[in-house]
Amino acid sequence: MSKHKILVTGGAGYIGSHTAILLIEAGYDIIIFDNFSNASKESIKRVETIVNKDIILIEGDIRNRNDLHNVFTHYCIDAVIHFAGLKAVGESVEKPLSYYDNNINGTIVLCEVMAEHNCKSIVFSSSATVYGDPHTTPIKENFPLSATNPYGRSKLFIEEMLHDLYISDSSWKIILLRYFNPVGAHISGTIGEDPNGIPNNLMPFIAQTAVGKLNCLSVFGDDYDTHDGTGVRDYIHVTDLADGHVKALDIIKDIKKVITVNLGTGTGYSVLDMVKAFEKASGKDVPYCIAPRRAGDIAKCFADPSYAKEVLNWEATKGIEEMCQDSWRWQSNNPNGYEG
Ligand code: NAD
Ligand code: UD1
């Protein structure tokens, strides 16, 4: 049995790999557990280069009790940061059972194995999607919750499940982090977001258009009730988001209830604001055309991040310029992502 460790499920993915760096830099010993369904081992190699340290990497599936049991038997785990799951909204409508299985069933198996090994501290990746179509902005944690697709429902259900777990056994320490829109990349430009196929999300689509892989951005709707008619979101630099997890771990031992926190900047930018900022940061044109609204999209979504400041002593520090510059550095150095 070695030193106490933090288990990072889904740690090879976009947010997990950035969080791994900050955890190691903050002095935590980590183990990454991932089934590589949406990640590459190359991301971990590059994290190792950034932190100049070997990382314990376990290939396994959170739905597989034995895979998890082996990890908890071999290592003394203090807490789990739980990123592993599927995250594409459109795909979740086509393959709902796969989303419920990976996200909900996976979390159930994980929590059961944690309890068997008396590890009861978990930081869970939730999403601003649980607010559905908010009646007003900025969004506070106590706003009504709803979901319009299987992905969102899986997040909502896991939140409820974790609340029930705490009610059944108050020795659990549970922090639910509701991310707004993560963008950007590590400053080195060696790790970043590497979506499969044509990106669904705005920032990778803009970046791939700027680098010449895609011809033109479709702006989904210009008749929303926003300053320029295009959708407004709270984009947050992935390194700031990662830091929110370090801050969550710092307090988790002392919490006396389930803590639910928005991780956002509190500022909303429109699609066209992002296009302009990216053009400025990259020096490239981002051709776009106005297209119909995307089904399920809302006009405005941005956080009230004041509770995060109060409870985690966390706030976002990086603005839209750094988000675009860092995304561009990653995209231009790695036009084909980790495939090289
Ligand atoms: P990602 O796909 O890059 O990372 C998820 C990782 O989990 C991948 O490495 C994948 O291989 C792994 N994984 C998936 N299913 C697994 C399983 N059954 N067992 C083991 N590993 C598995 O996604 P991300 O953007 O880094 O998101 C991380 C978490 O944050 C997810 O839970 C996601 O739903 C949540 N989230 C993401 C966003 C976003 O916009 N990126 C927003 C809100 C919430
Ligand atoms: C998406 C997910 C949401 C998830 C969030 C954070 C959907 C429907 N929702 O939200 O569940 O929590 O990511 O990861 O996928 N846009 C364009 N053209 C594009 C792509 C996007 O105009 O090609 C616009 C959208 O209409 C929206 C904004 O850009 O106004 C941001 O879109 P996106 O990056 O997909 O994030 P969300 O829709 O906020």
Side-chain angles (χ1 to χ4, degrees):
M1 238 356 130
S2 59
K3 226 172 122 182
H4 289 223
K5 293 187 163 46
I6 307 299
L7 181 68
V8 185
T9 74
Y14 173 46
I15 305 170
S17 55
H18 288 83
T19 304
I21 295 172
L22 265 61
L23 287 169
I24 293 167
E25 286 174 353
Y28 286 103
D29 266 352
I30 66 164
I31 298 173
I32 289 180
F33 182 92
D34 203 297
N35 69 356
F36 296 98
S37 59
N38 194 37
S40 150
K41 288 185 184 152
E42 179 63 21
S43 70
I44 303 304
K45 284 194 193 137
R46 295 190 185 185
V47 169
E48 288 179 327
T49 305
I50 291 168
V51 296
N52 194 22
K53 210 173 172 177
D54 289 341
I55 292 175
I56 304 172
L57 171 61
I58 313 247
E59 188 162 354
D61 195 300
I62 51 166
R63 293 164 297 174
N64 184 317
R65 207 170 289 274
N66 282 338
D67 287 354
L68 284 172
H69 187 70
N70 286 339
V71 178
F72 280 89
T73 307
H74 281 96
Y75 300 99
C76 192
I77 312 275
D78 264 353
V80 176
I81 303 190
H82 178 31
F83 293 107
L86 302 180
K87 64 163 182 176
V89 173
E91 188 187 59
S92 80
V93 176
E94 285 156 28
K95 300 179 184 168
L97 299 182
S98 174
Y99 273 67
Y100 292 130
D101 184 35
N102 261 281
N103 295 3
I104 298 181
N105 188 30
T107 304
I108 293 173
V109 175
L110 173 65
C111 290
E112 283 176 348
V113 176
M114 286 174 69
E116 275 167 38
H117 292 268
N118 205 30
C119 170
K120 295 186 182 172
S121 297
I122 184 167
V123 178
F124 173 64
S125 301
S126 189
S127 165
T129 193
V130 299
Y131 295 113
D133 190 352
H135 56 89
T136 174
T137 44
I139 299 170
K140 284 180 176 292
E141 287 82 355
N142 62 3
F143 274 26
L145 305 178
S146 68
T148 52
N149 56 68
Y151 167 70
R153 249 184 298 284
S154 76
K155 292 293 176 190
L156 209 48
F157 213 89
I158 294 166
E159 286 200 3
E160 297 290 341
M161 223 166 67
L162 292 173
H163 277 286
D164 287 337
L165 189 57
Y166 176 78
I167 291 167
S168 75
D169 174 357
S170 61
S171 64
W172 276 89
K173 307 281 183 187
I174 298 169
I175 301 185
L176 310 175
L177 300 179
R178 292 181 180 152
Y179 312 156
F180 281 68
N181 289 57
V183 296
H186 187 259
I187 191 158
S188 64
T190 59
I191 64 165
E193 188 172 10
D194 183 17
N196 282 326
I198 305 214
N200 296 311
N201 296 117
L202 181 66
M203 193 60 147
F205 202 109
I206 291 180
Q208 293 193 14
T209 306
V211 86
K213 281 184 76 180
L214 299 170
N215 293 328
C216 182
L217 168 73
S218 295
V219 175
F220 296 143
D222 67 347
D223 56 353
Y224 285 107
D225 182 17
T226 61
H227 63 271
D228 61 14
T230 66
V232 164
R233 297 290 184 274
D234 188 337
Y235 298 93
I236 171 168
H237 196 292
V238 65
T239 301
D240 277 334
L241 193 67
D243 182 48
H245 296 75
V246 178
K247 297 281 195 315
L249 269 192
D250 290 346
I251 66 151
I252 200 161
K253 274 201 181 69
D254 302 320
I255 62 175
K256 302 272 182 291
K257 57 176 184 178
V258 177
I259 302 279
T260 305
V261 190
N262 284 341
L263 294 184
T265 64
T267 303
Y269 289 108
S270 73
V271 176
L272 295 181
D273 291 335
M274 295 306 284
V275 168
K276 280 180 211 131
F278 204 92
E279 286 183 328
K280 192 167 170 223
S282 64
K284 301 282 178 190
D285 282 341
V286 178
Y288 67 84
C289 56
I290 306 298
R293 290 181 177 195
R294 180 171 66 180
D297 272 358
I298 56 176
K300 268 190 230 168
C301 174
F302 58 94
D304 176 339
S306 51
Y307 187 56
K309 173 81 179 155
E310 183 191 323
V311 73
L312 297 181
N313 192 26
W314 172 91
E315 63 189 330
T317 58
K318 293 175 191 270
I320 186 173
E321 293 82 10
E322 268 174 289
M323 298 180 204
C324 292
Q325 283 161 2
D326 292 344
S327 260
W328 176 241
R329 194 176 301 107
W330 155 250
Q331 184 68 62
S332 53
N333 289 344
N334 305 270
N336 297 315
Y338 290 114
E339 267 177 29

